[in-house]
Amino acid sequence: MGKRDLVSIVTPCYNTGKYVHRLLESVLSQTYPNIEMFVIDDGSSDNSAEIVKSYIPRFENRGYQLTLIRQNNSGQSVALREGMKLIKGKYFVWPDSDDFYASRSAISMMVDAFERLGENYGLVRTQENLLEDDTFKIIGCNGKEAKAEYDKLQLFEDCLFCKNNFFFCPGAYMADFQKLKDSTSLDIYTDKNAGQNWQLMLPLLYNYKCYTIQEPLYNVVARLTSHSRGQYAGYERTLAKIASYEQTILETLKRIKELPFERKEKYVAEIRKKYCRLRIWYSFQYRRRADFERFYNEGLEIGCAGKKEKLLKVLFSVPFVVKGLLYLKHKLVR
C-alpha cells in the first residue's frame, strides 16, 4: 500500500493544561501513519502551552507533526478558523482538548470508511463514550442507537434543530476537507460564544451523506467546568448563549452554497421561532416579567406563541410553585 492521505487535526485549547495530555497521548498512539496536528492556544493562563510544546519532539519521533499556535483569548471559533488556514490534509478532525480517542485505530477506521464509501460522503462519525470526570467510568454512549446511514436531509435537519439525539462532540467526526471548502466559506462566524460545530457539519450534511461507525472510538469527559457547561450559569449568560447559537446557525445557513433561497428562508423562520420559544421559557423560569412580556410579544409577531407559551403567560399571574415549575420544565420545554 502506498502512502496514506494526510489527516489534519485542529484543536482549540483554553486552560486545559490538566487534560490536553490525554488527547495528545491518544493521537500519538494512533495506528494511522500520516497525521499533522495544530493546537491553537486561545490565550490560556495556565500551563497548556508548555504541555503542548513538550510533546513536539515525541510527535516528530513518531513521524507526525505537532504545531502550537498562540492567540489572544478570542474563542473557539476564531481558533478553529485560524487553524483551518494552515492544514494540508485531505481529511480533517477537530477534537476538543479535554476529550480523547478511545481506540488506537480510530483515525484509521474513519479514513478506511471514507475510502470504501466513495464520493457521496462528506462526513464519517463514530459513537462516543461519555466518561465520568476523574474516574473515567463509562456513564453513557452517544450514538448508540444511530444507524450506519441516513438520508442526508434527515441528518441535516436533526443537526439544525438538535433533535433525534443528534450528537455534536467534534472528535467523533471526520470531514473531507475539500468537500467542506466546496460547500461553504471557511471564514466562519466568530462571535466568542459561536458554535463552530454547526458551521462545519451543516454544510456537509446538506450536500453529502454521513456514515456512522457503530463503535465508540472517542471519549467525551463530562466536566462541569467545560466550555459548554459551567460557563453559561445564570440568566444573562444563558440568554447570551441562546443569542449566539441562533446567530451562528443563521450565519451558517447564509453560507451553504447549494441551499435554495426558499428552503433557506423556511429554515431561518423555524430557527427564529425555536430560539424565541427558548427565550420565553428562560425568562419565565427566572421570573423576569419584563423580558417575558417582550419575548412573548415577539413570539406573537412571528407565530410561535402557542398554547404552551400562553399557559406560561397565565402562570406568571399565579404564585410561583416549585413543584409546578419542575413539572413544566419536563413537559413544556421543546
Side-chain angles (χ1 to χ4, degrees):
M1 180 181 291
K3 187 175 181 179
R4 304 296 301 272
D5 288 309
L6 179 64
V7 172
S8 298
I9 303 175
V10 176
T11 296
C13 175
Y14 178 70
N15 285 347
T16 52
K18 293 181 180 179
Y19 314 103
V20 68
H21 69 279
R22 300 186 304 219
L23 174 62
L24 296 171
E25 291 285 352
S26 74
V27 173
L28 276 173
S29 74
Q30 291 300 300
T31 60
Y32 193 78
N34 197 11
I35 292 175
E36 65 173 5
M37 184 173 186
F38 299 90
V39 177
I40 316 298
D41 183 74
D42 187 34
S44 295
S45 58
D46 68 354
N47 64 341
S48 295
E50 287 71 23
I51 296 294
V52 174
K53 283 191 288 188
S54 73
Y55 274 83
I56 291 176
R58 295 181 60 189
F59 270 66
E60 292 175 348
N61 290 338
R62 175 67 178 83
Y64 293 168
Q65 176 186 336
L66 174 62
T67 303
L68 172 68
I69 308 294
R70 305 192 74 171
Q71 67 178 33
N72 293 330
N73 182 240
S74 306
Q76 288 184 314
S77 56
V78 172
L80 194 58
R81 182 192 64 186
E82 296 308 302
M84 286 192 294
K85 295 176 182 179
L86 304 172
I87 67 178
K88 303 179 181 69
K90 177 176 174 61
Y91 301 112
F92 168 48
V93 292
W94 61 105
D96 287 337
S97 61
D98 51 353
D99 300 324
F100 56 102
Y101 290 101
S103 168
R104 297 179 65 243
S105 60
I107 290 176
S108 289
M109 290 177 68
M110 287 191 276
V111 173
D112 290 346
F114 264 120
E115 292 177 346
R116 181 178 71 251
L117 291 165
E119 290 301 311
N120 291 329
Y121 291 81
L123 279 172
V124 167
R125 66 179 183 176
T126 83
Q127 296 174 354
E128 307 166 337
N129 290 320
L130 299 179
L131 304 184
E132 188 175 59
D133 196 8
D134 297 330
T135 68
F136 285 0
K137 178 183 177 181
I138 297 176
I139 56 177
C141 179
N142 283 333
K144 187 174 182 179
E145 306 302 325
K147 296 186 296 184
E149 300 189 52
Y150 292 83
D151 174 80
K152 67 179 183 180
L153 190 59
Q154 178 182 339
L155 277 185
F156 172 80
E157 293 188 350
D158 287 349
C159 178
L160 180 64
F161 297 111
C162 303
K163 63 181 184 179
N164 294 327
N165 298 315
F166 188 91
F167 53 98
F168 285 88
C169 289
Y173 287 78
M174 176 178 283
D176 183 309
F177 194 55
Q178 183 60 52
K179 290 174 181 174
L180 177 63
K181 291 188 287 186
D182 291 343
S183 299
T184 188
S185 166
L186 297 185
D187 187 21
I188 63 175
Y189 176 65
T190 55
D191 177 271
K192 193 168 184 180
N193 295 325
Q196 68 273 15
N197 295 323
W198 276 309
Q199 302 195 63
L200 303 181
M201 294 176 186
L202 284 172
L204 284 167
L205 289 171
Y206 185 77
N207 288 289
Y208 300 95
K209 297 184 73 174
C210 174
Y211 181 79
T212 304
I213 297 172
Q214 296 179 299
E215 183 178 343
L217 304 180
Y218 188 67
N219 290 323
V220 179
V221 181
R223 287 198 303 120
L224 293 178
T225 56
S226 70
H227 174 79
S228 59
R229 294 178 178 86
Q231 178 179 353
Y232 294 119
Y235 177 67
E236 286 75 16
R237 288 186 174 183
T238 298
L239 283 193
K241 176 188 70 172
I242 289 172
S244 183
Y245 282 7
E246 179 181 14
Q247 193 60 35
T248 297
I249 295 175
L250 296 179
E251 292 293 332
T252 302
L253 289 172
K254 288 180 186 178
R255 298 196 325 273
I256 299 178
K257 295 176 182 178
E258 301 299 325
L259 184 58
F261 177 80
E262 295 78 9
R263 185 180 290 274
K264 186 178 299 185
E265 290 299 295
K266 173 179 176 289
Y267 287 140
V268 166
E270 291 177 5
I271 287 297
R272 291 195 183 281
K273 290 178 181 179
K274 172 185 175 177
Y275 284 92
C276 182
R277 290 189 187 105
L278 286 174
R279 283 187 281 270
I280 291 171
W281 164 249
Y282 281 111
S283 60
F284 172 82
Q285 185 182 28
Y286 283 90
R287 308 298 288 176
R288 303 297 181 94
R289 181 179 292 274
D291 283 355
F292 178 88
E293 293 293 339
R294 176 161 56 89
F295 299 144
Y296 182 82
N297 289 333
E298 177 188 341
L300 289 176
E301 292 178 5
I302 65 176
C304 71
K307 292 181 180 179
K308 295 177 182 179
E309 288 71 34
K310 290 177 181 177
L311 178 57
L312 293 180
K313 184 173 176 60
V314 171
L315 289 174
F316 233 126
S317 303
V318 301
F320 186 78
V321 181
V322 174
K323 289 183 179 179
L325 179 61
L326 292 174
Y327 173 81
L328 287 169
K329 183 173 183 180
H330 292 287
K331 296 296 183 181
L332 299 184
V333 173
R334 332 178 240 212

